[in-house]
Amino acid sequence: MKLKFRKIVYQLHLWLGLSSGLIVVIMAVTGCILSFEDELKHLIHPQRYFVTAIGKEKLPLAELTVRAERALPDGLKIKRVQISSDPSRTYMFRTLKMNNEALTYWGTYEYYYRVYIDPYTGKVQELENAKTDFFEIVLDLHRRLLLGEKIGKTITGYSTLLLAIILFSGLVIWYPRKMSKNMLKGMFFIKLSANWKRINYDLHNVLGFYSMIPLLLIAYSALIWNFTDMDKWIQNFLNDNRRTEQKVKSNRPQNESVGRNIVLNRIWNTMEPQMAHKKSAMINFPRTEAGTYYAEITYAEKQYQNEQFSFDQYSGVKLKSQSYKDKNIGNGTALRERNYDLHTGSIFGITGRIIYFLAGIIAASLPVTGFIIFLNRKKKKPKHQKNKIIFPAHH
């Protein structure tokens, strides 16, 4: 019975691996490239991210927003600003519009611009068409295979689900039928003195085992983004099905509202004093008449360590604030907030990011080594030949 179960698991592992292998390689390689995206961008494009000289005082946020909008083509409006607490950094303003019905990367983003501004002088250091940014294309390849939200995201979502099943089935195959000292060595170590076929087998078997936990965490967090029902179910289950707080709304005033410039400066005057010893701030502009300015102050390298705010778009009054330290946040909501950090490894600090990077390299190699094992086994199978005629050897 056990032998039959192992055979079924092996066949499952094999055929799921063959069917999703190429997509897993693409997602793993792109994931590795994105692991240190920020650090690489700062090295490649210092003029975008750093000011030429640190000034005494920064210009008001409203004025910087107006200057950013002037730099945009076609009269587009800014939809987000990111502000670092590092005094040597530029402010990054962005605007984008997505089309979720599109079937290619170029159609997915109708437009996507980022404006980098020196907050001391108001000088536009660069207007970037983010659609052509290398890392943006790599990110879309990672998320959607450049095939749009409908098709691409569906393929990567189900491939991630297959990867999770492949990992669990691999664990069953990895565990030997009979335990011995030699078997134990083969489970945890690569025999470098063996022939290339054995080394390839060990690379698949041993490295697959060592990378399993980070790869399962990566797969889980990706599934949360891809499958809304799964995401909701886990949150509700861990929150003990208690009702989550409703989103706050802006109330359109009877009389004339104050202008956007006054509102933006009010918001920043509320947030700026709290930026000391924090990493960065982000403000999302409202998209609808009832929408709010949603803002976050991130404490450190881990994105979930933040304070969230909602401000009325007509008055700049703070409607709501919540820290990740608040005790009333349900376990499900708290886990969901950590999803990005869980996916990138930053939840475990720089060590986690390095481990995930190495796990990504292994993940890219597993379909390759697995395919080589499959080819070698196919070659081993004897060919049954009927009425085989044996000719006498000639001397």
Side-chain angles (χ1 to χ4, degrees):
M1 187 67 186
K2 276 184 183 178
L3 198 64
K4 197 177 180 184
F5 174 69
R6 280 181 75 92
K7 275 186 179 177
I8 292 165
V9 172
Y10 171 76
Q11 290 298 323
L12 186 72
H13 186 82
L14 170 66
W15 294 109
L16 291 184
L18 289 172
S19 59
S20 65
L22 180 61
I23 295 157
V24 169
V25 169
I26 292 167
M27 290 195 292
V29 170
T30 51
C32 287
I33 294 167
L34 295 165
S35 295
F36 296 95
E37 179 188 354
D38 288 345
E39 290 85 351
L40 289 169
K41 277 183 169 182
H42 294 171
L43 278 172
I44 301 163
H45 304 289
Q47 76 285 358
R48 283 182 191 170
Y49 298 98
F50 298 96
V51 298
T52 47
I54 297 169
K56 286 183 180 177
E57 208 172 307
K58 291 179 178 180
L59 293 170
L61 180 61
E63 189 180 330
L64 294 168
T65 305
V66 169
R67 292 193 186 210
E69 284 183 340
R70 277 194 207 130
L72 291 171
D74 309 321
L76 295 172
K77 295 292 178 188
I78 290 297
K79 294 180 180 177
R80 175 186 283 186
V81 58
Q82 282 175 266
I83 300 162
S84 173
S85 60
D86 180 345
S88 70
R89 290 284 300 278
T90 55
Y91 283 18
M92 192 271 276
F93 294 83
R94 84 167 201 196
T95 186
L96 66 85
K97 187 180 181 186
M98 289 184 73
N99 174 11
N100 290 334
E101 301 298 311
L103 302 179
T104 67
Y105 167 72
W106 300 104
T108 298
Y109 291 101
E110 289 187 21
Y111 58 82
Y112 190 176
Y113 293 100
R114 292 191 277 241
V115 187
Y116 302 87
I117 290 190
D118 181 330
Y120 303 102
T121 64
K123 182 194 168 194
V124 174
Q125 299 216 164
E126 194 172 327
L127 167 65
E128 178 200 6
N129 181 0
K131 270 177 77 167
T132 61
D133 174 44
F134 169 75
F135 289 101
E136 208 56 51
I137 295 165
V138 169
L139 178 63
D140 201 83
L141 186 59
H142 183 72
R143 285 179 176 170
R144 308 181 189 95
L145 304 173
L146 305 179
L147 295 172
E149 189 77 3
K150 266 190 169 179
I151 296 171
K153 195 181 174 188
T154 304
I155 295 169
T156 56
Y158 281 101
S159 295
T160 308
L161 184 62
L162 294 184
L163 174 63
I165 298 166
I166 289 163
L167 289 167
F168 281 118
S169 58
L171 191 64
V172 173
I173 299 160
W174 170 84
Y175 195 82
R177 275 170 285 182
K178 286 179 182 176
M179 192 63 78
S180 68
K181 200 177 178 182
N182 282 343
M183 278 288 188
L184 209 61
K185 264 190 182 179
M187 287 165 75
F188 298 105
F189 301 100
I190 297 163
K191 193 179 179 183
L192 295 170
S193 60
N195 64 33
W196 74 268
K197 286 183 183 178
R198 174 58 197 261
I199 291 169
N200 180 74
Y201 178 81
D202 283 354
L203 284 169
H204 189 81
N205 223 26
V206 178
L207 295 184
F209 170 74
Y210 284 126
S211 64
M212 187 174 175
I213 290 172
L215 291 180
L216 279 173
L217 292 174
I218 291 166
Y220 163 79
S221 49
L223 290 171
I224 289 297
W225 282 322
N226 280 287
F227 297 101
T228 315
D229 290 343
M230 178 186 172
D231 180 17
K232 283 178 183 172
W233 184 84
I234 289 170
Q235 280 194 66
N236 290 336
F237 178 75
L238 293 174
N239 284 339
D240 299 324
N241 290 311
R242 57 182 174 183
R243 280 193 70 188
T244 51
E245 285 185 63
Q246 296 298 306
K247 282 185 179 178
V248 290
K249 291 179 181 179
S250 293
N251 293 312
R252 195 180 184 94
Q254 298 291 327
N255 309 317
E256 270 193 44
S257 59
V258 295
R260 186 188 74 169
N261 287 2
I262 295 168
V263 170
L264 274 173
N265 288 336
R266 277 182 188 171
I267 290 169
W268 189 234
N269 289 341
T270 306
M271 291 179 71
E272 195 174 22
Q274 300 178 56
M275 284 289 287
H277 312 298
K278 309 290 195 318
K279 187 193 173 195
S280 61
M282 179 273 289
I283 302 169
N284 267 339
F285 292 31
R287 308 288 167 92
T288 62
E289 285 194 353
T292 61
Y293 281 93
Y294 170 79
E296 279 181 12
I297 290 177
T298 305
Y299 288 41
E301 294 304 315
K302 295 168 188 168
Q303 275 202 9
Y304 79 89
Q305 294 178 341
N306 63 36
E307 189 156 0
Q308 302 166 10
F309 306 86
S310 292
F311 297 93
D312 187 282
Q313 68 166 296
Y314 302 105
S315 64
V317 169
K318 186 168 74 176
L319 301 172
K320 184 184 172 185
S321 70
Q322 182 174 280
S323 166
Y324 80 100
K325 294 175 182 176
D326 290 351
K327 296 281 191 290
N328 61 342
I329 300 170
N331 293 330
T333 308
L335 179 62
R336 183 63 175 83
E337 289 289 323
R338 287 159 174 75
N339 205 59
Y340 176 82
D341 296 295
L342 198 60
H343 191 72
T344 59
S346 54
I347 198 161
F348 308 111
I350 188 69
T351 309
R353 288 173 67 196
I354 293 165
I355 289 167
Y356 272 38
F357 175 75
L358 296 171
I361 293 170
I362 292 168
S365 76
L366 291 175
V368 179
T369 52
F371 187 63
I372 292 166
I373 292 167
F374 167 69
L375 289 179
N376 287 334
R377 291 210 169 161
K378 270 189 90 176
K379 283 176 189 174
K380 267 187 186 178
K381 285 181 183 178
K383 288 179 182 177
H384 299 290
Q385 289 174 300
K386 287 181 183 178
N387 307 320
K388 194 175 178 185
I389 303 162
I390 301 167
F391 293 98
H394 294 284
H395 297 286

